[in-house]
Every structure is written in structure tokens, then in C-alpha cells.
Amino acid sequence: MNRLRVTPGPVLSVTALWLTTRALMLWLLVHDHDPLLGRGSVAREVWRLYFGWYGVLAHGSFPAHDTLWQYPPGAGAVLLAPGLLPWLTYFQAFVVLTLAVDALVTAALARAGTPAGRSPLGAILWTAGLPLLLHIPLARYDVQVTGLAVLSLLALGRYPRAGGVLGALGALVKVWPALVLLGTPRGRATRGAWGWAVAAGAGSLGVLAVWFDHPLAFLRQQGGRGVQIESLGGTALNLARHAGWPGRTRYRYGAVELVGPYVDAVATASLALTAVACALLVLWRVRARRWNEATPYDAALSAVLLFTVTSRVISPQYMVWLLGLAAVCLTSRHTGQRPVAALVLAATALSTVVYPMCYREVIGGTWTGCVLMLIRNGILAAAAVLSFVRLWRAAEADAKNPRTTEPGPYSDRLPERLLSSS
């Protein structure tokens, strides 16, 4: 009987790389007050904001009257989790749990890349790419959200129901993981994944509504957000300041936003572009007929990229999401998103230069800040367009040449005589 052989070399290399890079990230977190590292602004998110919310959540209510609370009710469970380690401070426990989830994601990607026909590049990209954001991932809960999305995608192939449940739990924490279920193949896999996602999401939301007051308070704060300075619309407005636009920056809803004439029009345009992106993804879904093992991964990355670049808000931690999804794509040799993953890495590195290193330049609207944002957002926009084009063309290729689709859980079954002769 043949057994799957796992080569220990890549796994040991990824382990060594993870230990080295995470030690460096912890060192940066300890030295967070350095001017180049944000003067303490990165770590402050945890020990001041998250810890403050923890106190409210521990008393059975969501922080309904805090304009900074803009997250679905599942986020409350993540922010309460550090209480499971009472011998540590809240900050220490939060970082420990974040590292634990990071290690789990790395292990899952490494395992997914070890069988024959798969690739270890996914684990390498995640392990080496996350430190490009310096210590920011350790002081935000986006690693936890990305972990749910990554595990959901990796489970969809063999266990679509489990994948659906994990995707729903991720959506309850930060909405966007619902997009990872977009590329599930038609038929039984989609019914299982989407059906269990709806059931798990509704059940979990019901439980949270019973345990906590004001579970939907985040909708009011989320709806009031404007154009954040790091978004594509914010970059356009910042450039307009050099042409005489009289707008200015203001700290609102937990981000630096631009206020002044035409801001509402830019915000409306962003929402319209998001609607167009949604329509394109639905059209792809309706039109696609063939899937290979990488199609759900590629569709998830493309969807999140499109929704990110058309959003009114692009925070540096959003790059954690894109790195995780790009890493899942690279675990498969059938993915068409390799050049997109390279662009995501480049945008991630530039995001660190934008924040925390040169954030004052960005807020001040100097030419340095504007050029940095123009390049970073230009790369993200190019990645989103390229990602969707490659996803669309892959569907076209499979439709024109149906026998080029690999047999497996994501494709229609080939005639038995063909399978027996292969």
C-alpha cells in the first residue's frame, strides 16, 4: 500500500523561518515607541482600545455608544479570548493568542503544500510576507480572522460543510470571510458549504444576541464612515489638495478621514464601484462551468481584492487578509494567481512605509505621502484587475477545453475509461 511521503526539508525550513521572523516581530513590538515604528500607536490599539472594549463585553454588552465599534458581533468573542489566560496581562495574552493562530495558519498551509502535486510556496509566502508589516499583525485581530478564512478554504475540498461553518464564523468576526465561499463548485459542494454557513451563522448570531446586548450596534457606526486617507478615493482627494482643493483631514471612526467638498461624491463613487465589483463576481459565478482544485482559492483572492480596492477604507492590516488568501492560492500548482501574489507582496512592503514610517507625510498630504499612496494603491488596483482577468480567462479556457480540467473534487467526473487509462 502506497503511503503519502512528506519531505521534512521544507517543513523544517518554514519552521525555522517562522521562529526567526516572529522573534523579530516581537522585538519590534517591544520597541513600538520608536518614531519609525509609530511612536506607540500600533500597540496602543490593544492595551487601550481592545482592553476598553473587553471591559464592556465582560459585562454582557457590546460597546454600542462607541463610534469606534464597527465590527460584527463575532469580534466580541475574539476580544474576550485573552481572558482565557488570566495569568498574563490582556496585552500579553492577546499577542500570545495571535501568535498561536499564526502558527496554526502556517502549519495548515505547510500541510496543504506537502502532498504530491501541491506546493510549499503558500506556507513560505505567509511566513515571510507577514513580517513585511513589521509588528502590526501582532497588535490587530486580523490574523485571527484570516486564520478562519484560510482554514475554511483549505477545508472546502474534502469537507465543504466544515469549510462553510468556518467561513460563516469568520464573517461574524469581520464580514469579508463570507467571500471565500464564492468559488465553491456547483452542486453538492455549494449546497453543503452555503447551507451549513447559513445555519452556523444564524445559530452563532442567535447565541451572541442572547448573551450580549446591542449585537447589531456596529451597523450604525459602519454606515457613518467617510473616505479614509489610505483608500483610492482618499489618494485622489489628497492629490487634489495640491490643485487647490480646500479639504482637510479629521480623525473619525478610528481612522484619519478627509472632509470637505466632493467627499460625499467620492464616497458614493466608491460604493458604486463596489456594486460593480459584486456584479462582475456574480457574472463570473453564473458563467463559470468548470473548476479545478485552485478555483475556490483564486476566486476568494480576486473577490477580496476587488472589495478592498473599491472600499472607502483601506487599513494596513487589510494586507494580512490578502497575504493569507494569496498563500492559500500558492499551495496549489493549478492556481493562476502567482503574479497577483507577487503584487500583493509588493503592496504589503509599501504599506509598511506608509504606516507607520511615513504616516505624517500621508496625513499632511505632502508630495512624498501622495506618491507613496499612489504607488501602493496603484499596485493594489493592478493586482485586483489582473486577479479577476486571470480568474475570468481560466473559466473561459475550461469552458472551451473541458478535458483540460483536472479530475478531482472540483471538476466533473471524466469518463471511467479515461481515468483508468491515466
Side-chain angles (χ1 to χ4, degrees):
M1 180 178 179
N2 293 329
R3 293 185 178 180
L4 177 66
R5 294 183 179 180
V6 177
T7 305
V11 175
L12 292 176
S13 299
V14 169
T15 301
L17 181 62
W18 189 90
L19 291 172
T20 303
T21 53
R22 275 42 179 186
L24 176 60
M25 292 169 70
L26 284 170
W27 185 88
L28 293 172
L29 189 61
V30 171
H31 295 82
D32 179 61
H33 287 279
D34 188 275
L36 281 178
L37 298 179
R39 294 179 172 84
S41 62
V42 174
R44 192 182 303 127
E45 188 97 357
V46 178
W47 60 260
R48 178 179 293 179
L49 187 61
Y50 290 0
F51 183 58
W53 287 339
Y54 172 84
V56 178
L57 291 162
H59 287 86
S61 177
F62 290 99
H65 303 293
D66 188 345
T67 58
L68 301 183
W69 178 255
Q70 303 152 18
Y71 308 108
V78 176
L79 298 178
L80 283 171
L84 298 173
L85 305 176
W87 56 91
L88 299 175
T89 67
Y90 183 86
F91 183 86
Q92 292 169 342
F94 183 89
V95 174
V96 167
L97 291 176
T98 302
L99 283 170
V101 175
D102 175 21
L104 176 62
V105 171
T106 306
L109 290 168
R111 186 176 186 276
T114 50
R118 305 283 286 185
S119 170
L121 288 178
I124 294 171
L125 182 140
W126 171 260
T127 307
L130 204 62
L132 293 177
L133 291 169
L134 304 180
H135 54 306
I136 292 174
L138 300 182
R140 301 292 186 272
Y141 75 90
D142 295 87
V143 169
Q144 288 87 324
V145 182
T146 304
L148 288 168
V150 167
L151 295 176
S152 173
L153 280 172
L154 293 178
L156 283 175
R158 292 188 176 183
Y159 311 104
R161 293 177 178 179
V165 170
L166 289 167
L169 294 178
L172 274 177
V173 176
K174 220 167 189 180
V175 180
W176 69 264
L179 294 172
V180 304
L181 302 179
L182 174 71
T184 53
R186 282 193 181 86
R188 188 174 181 180
T190 290
R191 290 193 297 271
W194 291 13
W196 278 72
V198 171
S204 301
L205 182 60
V207 170
L208 290 167
V210 170
W211 284 357
F212 298 93
D213 297 329
H214 314 296
L216 301 180
F218 75 99
L219 293 174
R220 183 173 61 253
Q221 278 72 254
Q222 190 63 244
R225 300 192 77 168
V227 178
Q228 192 241 8
I229 200 168
E230 294 176 63
S231 66
L232 266 71
T235 300
L237 289 171
N238 232 0
L239 285 167
R241 295 165 78 177
H242 292 277
W245 180 66
R248 54 192 174 84
T249 59
R250 180 187 297 176
Y251 184 79
R252 301 192 312 172
Y253 296 98
V256 178
E257 296 184 353
L258 288 155
V259 294
Y262 311 114
V263 170
D264 289 342
V266 171
T268 301
S270 296
L271 292 173
L273 287 173
T274 299
V276 171
C278 182
L280 287 172
L281 290 167
V282 170
L283 180 62
W284 168 82
R285 172 79 197 186
V286 170
R287 184 180 177 280
R289 289 292 179 270
R290 292 275 178 167
W291 276 258
N292 60 48
E293 66 175 13
T295 301
Y297 309 160
D298 294 357
L301 177 59
S302 183
V304 175
L305 266 170
L306 285 171
F307 275 82
T308 297
V309 299
T310 59
S311 174
R312 293 170 295 168
V313 179
I314 301 180
S315 297
Q317 58 266 29
Y318 289 16
M319 302 308 302
V320 177
W321 318 344
L322 300 176
L323 282 172
L325 297 179
V328 176
C329 290
L330 293 190
T331 62
S332 172
R333 298 186 187 276
H334 299 287
T335 184
Q337 302 291 312
R338 289 189 185 89
V340 178
L343 290 175
V344 167
L345 274 178
T348 301
L350 273 173
S351 294
T352 300
V353 180
V354 170
Y355 178 86
M357 292 182 176
C358 297
Y359 204 49
R360 288 190 174 185
E361 301 284 338
V362 176
I363 294 174
T366 67
W367 277 114
T368 299
C370 288
V371 169
L372 281 172
M373 290 312 312
L374 191 62
I375 297 174
R376 198 285 300 269
N377 286 341
I379 293 174
L380 276 181
V385 172
L386 179 62
S387 179
F388 184 74
V389 167
R390 293 179 75 87
L391 181 70
W392 185 276
R393 287 179 176 173
E396 281 188 337
D398 286 343
K400 293 176 181 178
N401 304 289
R403 291 190 180 184
T404 62
T405 301
E406 293 294 328
Y410 294 106
S411 61
D412 296 341
R413 186 177 299 276
L414 294 177
E416 185 175 348
R417 62 184 179 82
L418 291 178
L419 291 177
S420 61
S421 63
S422 60

